[in-house]
Amino acid sequence: MSGSDNTFKRAPKRKPLKGKSVSVSPEMRQAYADLIKERETKQEAYGRHLPQEEPRRR
């Protein structure tokens, strides 16, 4: 096996990818904030009506 000496070599390190930045208008930012608040209130109201789980007894 002549090619076995490079079989288990480490792969070279990859450069980390930079994150993309997006500029958003203030109206869009406010609309997104409102959407997040609305989702939180819906989740809170939904969670209020779920039956509470009792702690498991041994």
Side-chain angles (χ1 to χ4, degrees):
M1 293 203 171
S2 61
S4 64
D5 44 325
N6 65 356
T7 303
F8 297 107
K9 285 189 177 178
R10 277 197 172 157
K13 299 263 183 178
R14 293 186 180 184
K15 292 183 180 179
L17 297 174
K18 292 185 178 180
K20 295 182 180 179
S21 62
V22 179
S23 59
V24 181
S25 68
E27 294 86 15
M28 287 293 292
R29 189 174 302 203
Q30 185 61 39
Y32 189 67
D34 293 342
L35 181 71
I36 291 172
K37 286 180 185 177
E38 183 180 336
R39 188 177 296 166
E40 286 177 353
T41 55
K42 282 183 181 180
Q43 188 68 25
E44 184 181 320
Y46 177 76
R48 245 184 279 148
H49 298 292
L50 291 176
Q52 298 295 321
E53 292 184 20
E54 294 183 15
R56 293 186 180 183
R57 297 180 186 161
R58 291 184 180 185

